[in-house]
Amino acid sequence: MDLKIDNKTVLVTAASSGIGKATAISFLKEGCNVAICSRNKENLLKTVTEIAEANLPEPAWIVCDINKEKDIENTIRVVTESYGGIDILVNNCGGPPAGYFENLKDEDWKFAFNQVLMSAVRFTRGVLPGMKKNNWGRIINITSLSVKQPVDNLILSNSLRNAVTAMAKTLSNETGEKNITINNVAPGYTLTSRLYELAVEKAKKSGESHEHILASMANAVPMKRLGKPEEIASLVTFLASDLAGYITGTTIQIDGGIIKSTY
Ligand code: NAD
């Protein structure tokens, strides 16, 4: 299947590991110009080296703390100056801290608001003028199964991911006539360092091993396994393609069937 996105410029945020990294690799395989950003220079360089060792073109990389407005502006400027614009934006972020309502303070909420919602708002605001000018654009937000089925102990994620979802749906009404689609991809339990860390944290509290917790998570999925970052990446890449030009304003779950609702 020819996705017809070779030579498009893609920015994948928070992409030095996990779903972001797999997504960047998927776009590189499609012949796109890919830029990745993340807050840690060493991790970024490690990722770029790994990609080069896999005989793929090296992505451009920018150190960016997506909680900081100035870093976001700088990232967009650098990518735009290097490639002449950004055609495809993948808004990924680190997962907000776990916690129950009673244990979270205003600072935790503000941090998660910046990390999850404002990062997506700011990156989107930065790329939209160029996309409108080109009469073509794709924005894909990585959210979570929690938008359809809240996850216990993740109230920050559960709340703010839904804000991203509503923003995307509303904005898609404003950008459709310019051929700019905006969609959300909601991963289920996917084996990355984020999931591993959540399992380790849960293990400390429950006294079970994190291996046991990961195995129980997999067992709760109808497909009896955890997702792979590459599986999320394939969906993101398809949504960014020319072939997906009539899909907008939607949230697509990719969860091995774990979400119980019918919509
Ligand atoms: P991950 O921990 O493997 O990767 C997160 C990436 O974000 C890393 O590259 C990290 O360096 C970067 N990052 C974190 N904070 C940053 C900041 N302030 N500025 C810039 N970069 C930053 O996580 P993942 O599993 O790939 O998850 C990606 C997203 O998908 C997260 O938002 C996560 O909550 C969500 N998600 C993951 C799962 C899962 O099971 N893995 C399920 C549902 C939703």
Side-chain angles (χ1 to χ4, degrees), residues 13-21 37-40 43 64-67 92-96 111 115-116 142-146 157 161 186-195 197-198 229:
T13 70
S16 65
S17 70
I19 293 167
K21 175 172 139 188
C37 71
S38 190
R39 69 193 151 166
N40 183 303
N43 289 346
C64 170
D65 181 342
I66 62 166
N67 286 38
N92 185 40
C93 66
F111 177 83
Q115 182 186 35
V116 176
I142 308 297
T143 62
S144 170
L145 82 158
S146 69
S157 173
R161 305 283 190 195
Y189 297 121
T190 310
L191 193 52
T192 64
S193 47
R194 160 82 172 163
L195 196 72
E197 281 156 22
L198 286 172

Side-chain angles (χ1 to χ4, degrees), residues 223-237:
M223 300 207 72
K224 299 296 169 201
R225 67 172 178 86
L226 299 170
K228 299 175 197 158
E230 295 75 19
E231 291 173 314
I232 314 297
S234 300
L235 174 59
V236 175
T237 308

Side-chain angles (χ1 to χ4, degrees), residues 28-39:
L28 285 166
K29 288 182 178 166
E30 288 302 321
C32 299
N33 307 314
V34 177
I36 59 174
C37 71
S38 190
R39 69 193 151 166

Side-chain angles (χ1 to χ4, degrees), residues 8-12 35 72 75-81 83-90 123 126-132 134 136-139:
K8 295 275 187 208
T9 298
V10 188
L11 170 61
V12 187
I72 291 177
T75 302
I76 290 168
R77 187 182 53 75
V78 170
V79 181
T80 305
E81 281 174 11
Y83 295 110
I86 297 171
D87 304 299
I88 298 165
L89 169 68
V90 180
F123 275 111
V127 301
L128 266 184
M131 289 180 176
K132 283 183 177 163
N134 291 342
W136 198 96
R138 300 283 184 263
I139 299 175

Side-chain angles (χ1 to χ4, degrees), residues 52-193:
E53 282 171 2
N55 288 325
L56 286 165
E58 276 187 29
W61 56 273
I62 305 105
V63 177
C64 170
D65 181 342
I66 62 166
N67 286 38
K68 296 186 179 154
E69 189 172 6
K70 286 268 170 290
D71 281 16
I72 291 177
E73 285 169 3
N74 179 55
T75 302
I76 290 168
R77 187 182 53 75
V78 170
V79 181
T80 305
E81 281 174 11
S82 307
Y83 295 110
I86 297 171
D87 304 299
I88 298 165
L89 169 68
V90 180
N91 276 320
N92 185 40
C93 66
Y100 288 101
F101 184 79
E102 283 192 348
N103 304 328
L104 297 166
K105 302 187 172 48
D106 267 13
E107 292 70 53
D108 302 311
W109 282 94
K110 283 179 191 159
F111 177 83
F113 171 75
N114 243 333
Q115 182 186 35
V116 176
L117 179 61
M118 287 315 295
S119 67
V121 168
R122 288 167 177 154
F123 275 111
T124 300
R125 190 190 283 138
V127 301
L128 266 184
M131 289 180 176
K132 283 183 177 163
K133 206 165 139 207
N134 291 342
N135 209 37
W136 198 96
R138 300 283 184 263
I139 299 175
I140 298 123
N141 305 311
I142 308 297
T143 62
S144 170
L145 82 158
S146 69
V147 299
K148 298 199 176 187
Q149 185 168 291
V151 180
D152 285 351
N153 195 33
L154 287 184
I155 194 166
L156 294 175
S157 173
N158 299 343
S159 306
L160 289 155
R161 305 283 190 195
N162 268 310
V164 173
T165 306
M167 175 188 69
K169 178 65 185 162
T170 315
L171 185 56
S172 71
N173 295 335
E174 299 170 26
T175 62
E177 66 182 339
K178 287 283 180 189
N179 225 7
I180 301 166
T181 67
I182 306 182
N183 291 291
N184 307 302
V185 166
Y189 297 121
T190 310
L191 193 52
T192 64
S193 47

